[in-house]
Amino acid sequence: MILETFKNFSDFELLDSGLGYRLERWCAATLQRPDPQIIWQCSLPVEEWNKAWAIFESPSGSEKGRWEIKQALPHPWIVKFGEVQFQLKLSPFKHTGLFAEQAANWEWMLAKISNGKFQIPSDGSSASNSSSADGNNRVLKILNLFAYTGGTTMVLAKAGCQVTHVDASKPAITWANENHKLNNLPADSVRWILDDAVKFVKRELKRGAKYDGIIMDPPAFGHSPTGKTWKFNDDLPGLLSDCVELLSDDAKFLVVNGYATNSSALALNNLLEDSISSKHGKIEFGELCLKQKSGRLLSTGIFSRWSK
Ligand SMILES: C[S@@+](CC[C@H](N)C(=O)[O-])C[C@H]1O[C@@H](n2cnc3c(N)ncnc32)[C@H](O)[C@@H]1O
C-alpha cells in the first residue's frame, strides 16, 4: 500500500489543512476550500489563513456554494507542470479545473512510457523533448476516460502520445480544448470524444481498437450525455474488464483512480487483480495524497495501477 505524492509541481502547494478546510497555493494565488475529511487542527496561524485570495463558502455544507474573492485572481490564471500549462478557473463546486494530486500519476505514467528513462521535467525544462516512443519510435496511443478538463491528456500529449480524451460533459471538453490550444499541441495529438465512457469503450472493443495505456478517474456518481447514470461500484467492474481487452500486447499501463467513493484502495486493487489476471506485470495500489508544508499527508482518493 503506497501513500503516493507528486515530486515536481512547484506551481501548486498545500500550505495547510485543518478544521474542515485546505489552504492551497496555485502559483501566487492562495485559496481556502472546504474538505469534509479534515477533522484535525491547522498547523499554520490564523494570520496565514487570512491571507487567502479567495474563500469558498457553502452555507448548506453542500458541494455547491460561492467564492468570496478577497484579492483579484490572475486572468488568465495559468499553472505549469514542467512546461505543460493549464488554465484555472473557480467553479461553483469549489474546484479550480485541475486536481493537483494527479501529478503523482503523471510522473508515474511518464516514467512508464519511457521505460523508466523519462526525467521528470523540472519547471522550465522541456517535457516535449522526451519522445513517448518506447525505444522503437512507436507513438503510444492512450485512452483517458472521465478526462474532465484534460490535465492528464495535456501531460501525455505534450510527451508525444496520441490521446483519446473521453468525457460526458461538453463544458469540460471545451475547457480541455482551451488547455490544448494553450499548449500549442498538434491538432491530431488528441481525439475528443463527448460520450459515455462505458458505451465508448464497448464501441472501441467492437472496432478492434487497441491502446498502449489507459487511465480513468471515474466519479462516485455521474451521468452520460444522454442522462444514463454512472455508479462507481456497479459500473466499474464491467468497464475495467472491457478496458483490459483494449490493451495492446505492448501496453505500458492501466491506472484506475477513485475519489469520493465508499470504496477502499484494497477493494480497487482486488478488482484490478481479477480483471487483469491474464496479463503479466506489476500491480500497485494506495492513496493519492497531497503533502502539506508541515509534512502531514492529505488523502485525496484511491488508486490501483498495473504496469508491464
Ligand atoms: C472529476 S473528473 C475526473 C478528473 C480528471 N481525471 C483530472 O484529473 O483532470 C470526473 C469526470 O467524469 C465525467 N463523467 C461523469 N460520468 C461520466 C460518464 N458516464 N462517461 C464519461 N464521463 C463521465 C465528468 O463529466 C467529469 O468531467
Side-chain angles (χ1 to χ4, degrees), residues 6 23 53 91 96 98 112 120 136 202 204 209 215 259-260 301:
F6 64 73
L23 180 64
W53 295 26
S91 90
T96 59
L98 197 65
K112 295 297 165 195
I120 304 302
N136 304 317
K202 289 225 176 285
E204 287 291 78
I215 177 161
Y259 61 95

Side-chain angles (χ1 to χ4, degrees), residues 52-226:
W53 295 26
I55 303 173
F56 186 85
E57 285 165 352
S58 158
S60 61
S62 70
E63 286 281 291
K64 196 160 184 191
R66 58 177 285 276
W67 287 94
E68 190 191 342
I69 310 289
K70 305 254 186 191
Q71 183 174 336
L73 294 159
H75 187 73
W77 187 12
I78 310 288
V79 298
K80 285 186 179 178
F81 170 77
E83 70 162 19
V84 190
Q85 304 187 61
F86 315 98
Q87 186 177 355
L88 306 184
K89 295 173 212 166
L90 296 181
S91 90
F93 295 95
K94 79 176 180 185
H95 296 302
T96 59
L98 197 65
F99 290 89
E101 62 273 13
Q102 289 298 332
N105 274 327
W106 303 340
E107 290 171 352
W108 183 86
M109 287 185 285
L110 290 172
K112 295 297 165 195
I113 62 177
S114 59
N115 293 330
K117 288 185 217 115
F118 184 86
Q119 295 295 305
I120 304 302
S122 58
D123 292 6
S125 73
S126 170
S128 56
N129 287 342
S130 64
S131 156
S132 73
D134 55 356
N136 304 317
N137 281 335
R138 189 169 62 97
V139 172
L140 298 177
K141 284 179 65 187
I142 309 293
L143 178 60
N144 184 10
L145 299 171
F146 308 91
Y148 189 48
T149 57
T152 303
T153 298
M154 296 315 129
V155 171
L156 294 177
K158 199 80 173 167
C161 299
Q162 197 188 63
V163 185
T164 299
H165 174 114
V166 184
D167 200 281
S169 153
K170 198 158 191 227
I173 292 207
T174 303
W175 192 337
N177 249 293
E178 288 165 13
N179 280 329
H180 188 253
K181 289 197 185 84
L182 184 67
N183 284 286
N184 292 318
L185 285 157
D188 62 357
S189 59
V190 180
R191 188 161 65 117
W192 304 104
I193 310 286
L194 176 66
D195 203 350
D196 177 44
V198 174
K199 273 199 203 152
F200 177 75
V201 163
K202 289 225 176 285
R203 253 184 265 124
E204 287 291 78
L205 268 181
K206 275 197 194 142
R207 290 190 277 249
K210 291 287 173 193
Y211 290 92
D212 304 305
I214 301 179
I215 177 161
M216 62 179 87
D217 192 12
F221 295 98
H223 293 285
S224 75
T226 54

